[in-house]
Amino acid sequence: MVAGASAAGARAMTSSSSPGISLKQEGISSLAAHELPSLIVNIMRGGPGLGNIRPSQGDYFQATKGGGHGDYRIITYLADDAEIVIIAYGTAARVAKGAIKRLRQEGLKVGLFRPITLWPYPAPALARLAGSCRKFLVFEMSTGQMVEDVNLALQGRAEVKFYRRPGGLHLSGGWRSGRHRDRRKFSTPPTGRKTSP
């Protein structure tokens, strides 16, 4: 129906959660082949497989690298004086924004780089920040997908740390309260268990 509506000149949209988007990949590939504009909303949830109903960002690769067959890409929508820049998108960016506000109130120069377009990735804009900022923290609700694009954009010109919350795990109060301002904790996987230093 999306292809037919778009071909007829109407605005066309479809949506689903992660497994449903997987089932739509043949149609999405066909839309790309025929260059038919449409809006596809993926309400990502924990996975893989049928997954669960908790929030996640595990479909980043599927959205930015193309999930169907064929040779195509799709457009995916989604700092300032900072010494540390947090890079996040979607729900993770909203959470990071609140944490950054509290950290700034405590005098830490922390900023947010929130990509609106995930493909093509805004590598030039991020690379420009490497001239004034040497530390970046990638925050994703997955095991690490966008962090690859960040490393490619920065090409070793800055330190990149990664903080993950995979599989639909909700954010801990520690992140929201700013307890994670110790940079050593940024690379520690959040297992919910105490680990030795």
Side-chain angles (χ1 to χ4, degrees):
M1 291 193 314
V2 173
S6 183
R11 292 181 181 176
M13 176 192 166
T14 187
S15 66
S16 189
S17 61
S18 302
I21 294 295
S22 294
L23 295 173
K24 294 175 185 274
Q25 287 304 316
E26 184 177 2
I28 293 170
S29 178
S30 181
L31 286 167
H34 293 95
E35 298 182 350
L36 295 172
S38 61
L39 175 63
I40 303 159
V41 178
N42 183 354
I43 310 301
M44 293 185 209
R45 64 187 200 193
L50 293 178
N52 58 53
I53 59 170
R54 299 171 84 181
S56 177
Q57 292 179 325
D59 299 344
Y60 179 87
F61 284 156
Q62 183 184 44
T64 62
K65 311 298 185 203
H69 66 283
D71 187 16
Y72 74 97
R73 294 282 194 225
I74 54 177
I75 297 174
T76 307
Y77 288 106
L78 220 158
D80 42 23
D81 64 339
E83 295 173 357
I84 300 171
V85 173
I86 295 175
I87 304 169
Y89 70 98
T91 303
R94 292 186 64 111
V95 173
K97 192 174 179 181
I100 289 167
K101 183 178 179 182
R102 284 186 292 278
L103 292 170
R104 284 234 170 225
Q105 290 171 347
E106 294 178 21
L108 295 169
K109 292 186 175 182
V110 181
L112 175 66
F113 183 85
R114 183 179 66 90
I116 302 299
T117 303
L118 297 176
W119 183 264
Y121 195 78
L126 184 57
R128 283 192 295 274
L129 282 178
S132 59
C133 181
R134 305 301 295 170
K135 295 182 188 297
F136 292 84
L137 168 67
V138 179
F139 174 42
E140 291 185 70
M141 293 172 64
S142 70
T143 57
Q145 297 179 32
M146 182 180 65
V147 69
E148 291 185 9
D149 288 329
V150 170
N151 281 318
L152 286 170
L154 295 176
Q155 298 178 359
R157 292 187 299 251
E159 180 183 359
V160 176
K161 297 282 188 179
F162 176 63
Y163 186 82
R164 63 184 181 178
R165 296 300 285 178
L169 297 175
H170 292 281
L171 299 170
S172 70
W175 173 266
R176 292 191 301 262
S177 69
R179 279 198 325 241
H180 287 62
R181 64 181 160 268
D182 181 350
R183 286 187 287 273
R184 291 172 294 177
K185 293 182 182 177
F186 287 149
S187 61
T188 304
T191 61
R193 295 171 289 178
K194 291 185 177 180
T195 56
S196 57

